[in-house]
Amino acid sequence: MISSLAFNPLISSSLNIATTHSSRNKQNLVKQKPVELTLGYQQNPNGYKVFSFGLKGSIYEKVSSGFKSIAVMTDDKSTMSSSVEEDSENIGILHADSSLEPYKDHFKYRLKRYLHQKKLIEEHEGSLEEFAKGYLKFGFNREEDGTLYREWAPAAQEAQIIGDFNGWDGSNHHMKKDQFGVWSIKIPDSGGNPAIPHNSRVKFRFKHSDGVWVDRIPAWIKYATVDPARFAAPYDGVYWDPPHSERYQFKYPRPPKPKAPRIYEAHVGMSSSEPRINSYREFADDILPRIRENNYNTVQLMAVMEHSYYASFGYHVTNFFAVSSRSGTPEDLKYLIDKAHSLGLHVLMDVVHSHASNNVTDGLNGFDVGQRSQESYFHIGDRGYHKLWDSRLFNYANWEVLRFLLSNLRWWLEEYKFDGFRFDGVTSMLYHHHGINMAFTGNYKEYFSEETDVDAVVYLMLANCLVHGILPDSTVIAEDVSGMPGLGRPVSEVGIGFDYRLAMAIPDKWIDYVKNKKDNEWSMKEISLNLTNRRYTEKCVAYAESHDQSIVGDKTIAFLLMDEEMYSSMSCLTDASPTIERGIALHKMIHFITMTLGGEGYLNFMGNEFGHPEWIDFPREGNGWSYEKCRRQWNLADTDHLRYKFMNAFDKAMNLLDDRFSFLASTKQIVSSTNNEDKVIVFERGDLVFVFNFHPENTYEGYKVGCDLPGKYRVALDSDAREFGGHGRVGHDADHFTSPEGIPGVPETNFNNRPNSFKILSPPRTCVSGRKPRRKQECQFGSGRRDRCCSRY
């Protein structure tokens, strides 16, 4: 059996199984019967406009609501401009996947919506890029002789700015409202100094229709803090405008974009070895060097945006433009990012635009006082509430929501020098059902129907257009479980524009295998298919486990494999127990095959590289507000007599292997054998050949391996090397010469459809990669060092 990215233009799995398998976030390429579709919006019984078939396409109407104008959906009969009509015929994504042809009208409608929205922005704001500079108009901004404050709050009847600067009495600081619902006030300087001092507390006070006055944190606030001495105290907005001498000045340029991202997912707050919240500067000085030492090229930061509830892992955002104050100030975060750039690391931000915290006191939800959706950041009623996340859902058709979210992206790119984003909760954005109780089977009707939220799709297209326009070398990743076709194709092809999607089915499969299957029940065919079942031309970031598998109630792969023996049997001073030996061996194999076969990028969550035991449990009432399990025990990997060091060393080596051979960036991926009896998987990626022997007992002497290129092969990386906790059974000095197989150019006469083969030793529960030597004395791990695990030339 053979599977190759090159053979099928749509999916990387082998042809004879690609149409029968489905998984949670991958789609089958099942041929659909052509149908004539007309797409548009109609009003459902609940009063919401939904995308539906059998209707004439609805279009936009400009409504005076917002800083200049707002685009909302209507059901009128007006038409798009002729230029938009002409552009909408150019749908490049259909050329890559002819199975999408029955849904051409959907893509045409999507494109018309996108082009029209972009045109409106250009007409009324100058350009998409200018539109995304909302932080220069809204919130607090310095002018020559004063401080200008603006806030969009159409539902407010009266408004004031209050804070430390006026003794929290806004009677002398009433704001004025324009016809678009924007409140503003200019506060003159006092004695040549800003009337609102740097680092002083501020809030927006307004009266809504029932006559009640409420205090809210300004929506565009750059910093927010809470009194740590008061339990459950509300947050305060903080006016952040440090003098030039206190502003952090970036010293290092952004490093070149990596060929393929090797991502270290990290949470600054829980990165300390002590049971406390870590700081940005401590993370920069103590943790970033570890990440670089393990040969990652990208760090992805979680929980950067301010969130009042720490245990939300940063996903219930309250203040979108503010850095999380638990770990320091805005200047401290800039220091962290600059330090990462100095180490050659790209920095991605985990951005949450799929929903917002329902916290009224501290968050954006406090601006919702029962007004209509066009005057709110969120939809009203059920459409504006995520019942599983207990959070609010944005109205992406609203002009000021678009300004707010797009400006938010630009703010993080330009003010803090982030190099891109990982968009959280994209599945919830793409569909009106938000993925709730939805088992995606791969049928294209699941992606292109009345359940598709075209408003959100258009926003994501605008977002990707903006980010890549501002920073062409940016990396933008989508967390999507549905597998929507086109998510990872450029906006110019009427894709949604992401560079990568997360391969979310992979960790689910590994957890299922480790939890529920005996070793002899592991299917090599199923493992291979799960790792390769992705759309060709749409890149994926593969991972065996992330933060999701580490939180309380679940276990990491290492903890599932070794459980309580991790507390008592990890010492190198005694022989490894069967459980520990199996656990470390499979931990290395699972992560390595995920990296080498699962995608075009790789991700690891902080601590999993060395098999961090236990789980993550944020401080909460149920654990006595303890930080004991909300930290990382780096000492485990650093202690020489503990076996954690072996997993850490292998993680470092497999990252270095990609650094030297760039197999992740290679489009050559060929699975030549999935032998379930032998429990062996053989494949090629780039110029390397990989052999994974999952058998718990069998050693194969002279195991025959098919390959493409003839010549001499040597071991490039061996999980059984002693420095990785193995037994050192595979020789690294041996030359493995190929033999021709069958008739040249006739694959069916070859060995496993490969024109050449060589033989290699394959011990149980080990993996090895082979490569063709380059030149003498070139050590795989650089600097001429002769590691026992690496090839000798």
Side-chain angles (χ1 to χ4, degrees):
M1 181 182 70
I2 185 167
S3 62
S4 169
L5 281 166
F7 287 165
N8 189 334
L10 302 175
I11 199 164
S12 61
S13 307
S14 60
L15 296 175
N16 62 331
I17 54 177
T19 58
T20 59
H21 175 81
S22 65
S23 59
R24 192 161 67 99
N25 75 320
K26 306 299 174 191
Q27 64 285 343
N28 306 321
L29 297 177
V30 181
K31 292 289 184 180
Q32 305 291 333
K33 293 181 179 180
V35 293
E36 293 297 326
L37 303 174
T38 314
L39 301 141
Y41 273 75
Q42 65 175 342
Q43 190 160 313
N44 70 10
N46 295 321
Y48 307 136
K49 295 180 175 63
V50 297
F51 196 71
S52 61
F53 294 102
L55 296 171
K56 292 183 178 180
S58 303
I59 54 81
Y60 282 107
E61 175 183 40
K62 268 192 306 181
V63 178
S64 293
S65 175
F67 199 63
K68 285 192 177 180
S69 61
I70 179 171
V72 296
M73 292 306 304
T74 68
D75 291 324
D76 71 6
K77 305 292 184 180
S78 57
T79 59
M80 301 291 182
S81 68
S82 59
S83 62
V84 171
E85 291 284 359
E86 292 171 2
D87 289 340
S88 68
E89 294 299 323
N90 184 22
I91 303 175
I93 194 173
L94 301 182
H95 302 310
D97 184 357
S98 60
S99 299
L100 293 171
E101 190 67 31
Y103 305 95
K104 182 177 180 179
D105 284 343
H106 175 96
F107 287 102
K108 288 173 65 177
Y109 183 76
R110 172 198 290 186
L111 180 58
K112 286 180 181 179
R113 287 283 314 277
Y114 164 75
L115 291 174
H116 193 63
Q117 183 69 77
K118 191 167 182 287
K119 183 180 179 183
L120 281 174
I121 290 171
E122 291 166 351
E123 286 180 354
H124 295 278
E125 302 285 347
S127 68
L128 182 63
E129 290 74 17
E130 285 298 314
F131 184 55
K133 290 181 179 179
Y135 48 83
L136 299 180
K137 298 179 181 179
F138 288 87
F140 295 92
N141 286 286
R142 287 288 297 155
E143 293 192 345
E144 185 177 350
D145 56 350
T147 303
L148 181 63
Y149 171 57
R150 285 195 183 102
E151 196 74 68
W152 180 65
Q157 304 301 306
E158 296 182 49
Q160 305 170 351
I161 178 67
I162 59 173
D164 291 329
F165 77 100
N166 62 8
W168 299 92
D169 180 2
S171 59
N172 293 324
H173 292 93
H174 286 276
M175 301 177 69
K176 294 182 179 181
K177 181 181 182 180
D178 67 15
Q179 68 269 37
F180 305 123
V182 176
W183 295 86
S184 63
I185 184 173
K186 184 173 182 179
I187 307 170
D189 290 345
S190 177
N193 296 312
I196 305 178
H198 162 63
N199 206 19
S200 65
R201 297 174 299 167
V202 291
K203 280 195 173 181
F204 175 63
R205 174 173 288 172
F206 70 94
K207 182 173 72 173
H208 52 80
S209 57
D210 61 4
V212 176
W213 286 85
V214 293
D215 297 346
R216 298 292 183 250
I217 295 177
W220 298 72
I221 200 71
K222 308 305 191 299
Y223 195 45
T225 60
V226 65
D227 184 353
R230 294 173 56 200
F231 180 76
Y235 273 68
D236 290 305
V238 174
Y239 176 66
W240 192 260
D241 185 27
H244 184 78
S245 61
E246 297 179 18
R247 293 178 184 271
Y248 184 82
Q249 303 297 321
F250 286 93
K251 303 177 180 66
Y252 301 95
R254 288 184 168 99
K257 182 178 181 177
K259 294 179 181 178
R262 300 189 299 273
I263 302 170
Y264 195 87
E265 184 185 35
H267 187 289
V268 172
M270 57 165 288
S271 64
S272 174
S273 59
E274 301 171 3
R276 60 176 176 84
I277 297 175
N278 211 14
S279 72
Y280 296 123
R281 288 184 176 267
E282 289 172 309
F283 182 91
D285 293 339
D286 301 335
I287 309 304
L288 285 179
R290 287 180 173 272
I291 298 171
R292 179 68 272 181
E293 177 66 19
N294 270 45
N295 298 307
Y296 289 91
N297 57 31
T298 304
V299 58
Q300 178 179 299
L301 296 180
M302 304 174 62
V304 172
M305 306 161 87
E306 187 60 88
H307 49 291
S308 60
Y309 183 44
Y310 190 43
S312 73
F313 235 134
Y315 292 120
H316 279 227
V317 175
T318 44
N319 312 111
F320 284 76
F321 287 82
V323 305
S324 177
S325 58
R326 292 179 182 86
S327 294
T329 69
E331 311 312 305
D332 295 333
L333 177 60
K334 293 174 185 178
Y335 172 82
L336 184 163
I337 295 171
D338 202 29
K339 182 68 173 288
H341 287 166
S342 75
L343 297 172
L345 293 167
H346 268 237
V347 187
L348 305 182
M349 176 178 160
D350 205 343
V351 70
V352 186
H353 283 182
S354 50
H355 64 130
S357 170
N358 70 353
N359 184 321
V360 172
T361 304
D362 303 324
L364 202 61
N365 193 31
F367 287 81
D368 188 340
V369 289
Q371 68 269 38
R372 59 181 185 150
S373 183
Q374 285 84 355
E375 296 180 344
S376 172
Y377 288 99
F378 310 107
H379 286 292
I380 61 173
D382 290 343
R383 191 178 178 189
Y385 178 72
H386 198 295
K387 62 183 181 181
L388 293 187
W389 295 346
D390 188 25
S391 57
R392 297 304 309 274
L393 300 173
F394 287 106
N395 177 3
Y396 300 105
N398 193 309
W399 188 271
E400 291 304 330
V401 172
L402 289 177
R403 187 200 305 276
F404 184 83
L405 295 178
L406 292 171
S407 298
N408 191 236
L409 298 175
R410 181 160 195 165
W411 169 255
W412 293 110
L413 288 177
E414 299 204 335
E415 182 70 15
Y416 292 94
K417 308 300 181 186
F418 278 97
D419 301 296
F421 302 100
R422 178 260 198 192
F423 273 71
D424 179 69
V426 170
T427 305
S428 176
M429 300 173 70
L430 294 175
Y431 310 99
H432 292 296
H433 54 61
H434 310 299
I436 299 173
N437 297 323
M438 179 66 186
F440 290 95
T441 66
N443 189 315
Y444 280 10
K445 291 180 180 179
E446 296 168 348
Y447 308 117
F448 313 114
S449 73
E450 68 275 6
E451 289 294 342
T452 307
D453 190 338
V454 181
D455 292 342
V457 170
V458 169
Y459 163 67
L460 291 172
M461 294 171 72
L462 290 168
N464 279 301
C465 178
L466 173 74
V467 172
H468 290 105
I470 294 173
L471 187 62
D473 281 346
S474 60
T475 298
V476 190
I477 302 169
E479 187 213 30
D480 169 45
V481 73
S482 74
M484 174 180 274
L487 187 72
R489 294 306 301 163
V491 173
S492 61
E493 297 180 4
V494 202
I496 296 179
F498 288 98
D499 298 300
Y500 298 87
R501 73 167 91 227
L502 291 178
M504 298 182 70
I506 294 175
D508 290 349
K509 181 60 66 176
W510 285 127
I511 295 299
D512 176 52
Y513 266 51
V514 173
K515 275 185 177 180
N516 304 317
K517 293 183 183 292
K518 299 178 181 178
D519 290 2
N520 61 1
E521 295 175 339
W522 288 28
S523 167
M524 301 300 100
K525 182 177 180 180
E526 188 175 54
I527 290 173
S528 174
L529 177 60
N530 183 252
L531 291 169
T532 59
N533 188 21
R534 58 188 184 274
R535 294 180 63 81
Y536 178 53
T537 76
E538 296 193 40
K539 297 178 181 179
C540 288
V541 172
Y543 60 105
E545 52 187 338
S546 69
H547 66 272
D548 289 328
Q549 286 72 42
S550 303
I551 60 177
V552 64
D554 208 340
K555 294 182 179 180
T556 64
I557 288 176
F559 209 43
L560 284 170
L561 289 168
M562 296 175 276
D563 213 339
E564 61 184 13
E565 289 202 29
M566 297 190 79
Y567 297 114
S568 60
S569 304
M570 291 296 282
S571 174
C572 298
L573 304 179
T574 59
D575 291 338
S577 70
T579 297
I580 295 298
E581 185 154 323
R582 172 184 179 268
I584 292 178
L586 287 178
H587 187 274
K588 291 182 290 185
M589 295 182 72
I590 287 170
H591 286 80
F592 193 37
I593 195 171
T594 298
M595 180 190 200
T596 53
L597 196 56
E600 292 71 36
Y602 177 71
L603 179 143
N604 169 73
F605 177 66
M606 180 174 65
N608 288 344
E609 69 274 13
F610 63 84
H612 199 289
E614 299 181 325
W615 53 87
I616 298 167
D617 192 6
F618 282 87
R620 55 188 174 86
E621 186 176 5
N623 65 13
W625 304 104
S626 170
Y627 286 86
E628 183 61 33
K629 287 184 171 58
C630 192
R631 62 188 179 113
R632 296 285 87 177
Q633 300 180 57
W634 304 108
N635 60 297
L636 297 176
D638 296 341
T639 303
D640 192 58
H641 69 268
L642 294 181
R643 288 188 165 86
Y644 296 97
K645 69 177 182 179
F646 297 136
M647 291 177 280
N648 190 63
F650 189 73
D651 178 80
K652 176 181 178 181
M654 69 185 202
N655 280 320
L656 186 56
L657 187 71
D658 179 64
D659 202 40
R660 296 296 299 272
F661 290 97
S662 300
F663 58 82
L664 278 172
S666 174
T667 58
K668 179 183 177 182
Q669 176 173 301
I670 300 172
V671 177
S672 59
S673 177
T674 53
N675 192 313
N676 205 52
E677 182 176 350
D678 295 344
K679 290 287 184 283
V680 173
I681 299 174
V682 179
F683 61 92
E684 296 161 66
R685 187 75 188 269
D687 293 333
L688 299 176
V689 180
F690 298 87
V691 182
F692 284 77
N693 180 1
F694 283 94
H695 202 287
E697 298 174 353
N698 288 358
T699 295
Y700 301 110
E701 298 273 358
Y703 197 81
K704 192 174 182 180
V705 175
C707 64
D708 181 18
L709 302 175
K712 180 176 66 175
Y713 284 79
R714 283 191 177 183
V715 172
L717 182 59
D718 167 27
S719 69
D720 195 47
R722 293 189 182 278
E723 69 174 90
F724 304 140
H727 298 281
R729 290 165 287 190
V730 177
H732 300 147
D733 287 329
D735 293 329
H736 303 272
F737 292 93
T738 63
S739 300
E741 294 289 343
I743 303 171
V746 186
E748 58 269 23
T749 67
N750 299 157
F751 175 72
N752 288 339
N753 289 317
R754 308 311 292 141
N756 296 282
S757 69
F758 62 89
K759 295 182 178 181
I760 194 168
L761 174 68
S762 181
R765 292 195 186 117
T766 65
C767 51
V768 64
S769 64
R771 53 87 183 106
K772 291 171 65 66
R774 293 176 178 174
R775 63 179 184 272
K776 290 185 177 181
Q777 302 303 321
E778 178 187 356
C779 178
Q780 167 65 26
F781 289 85
S783 304
R785 186 160 60 89
R786 307 289 288 223
D787 298 68
R788 297 189 64 182
C789 62
C790 75
S791 309
R792 294 189 176 93
Y793 294 77

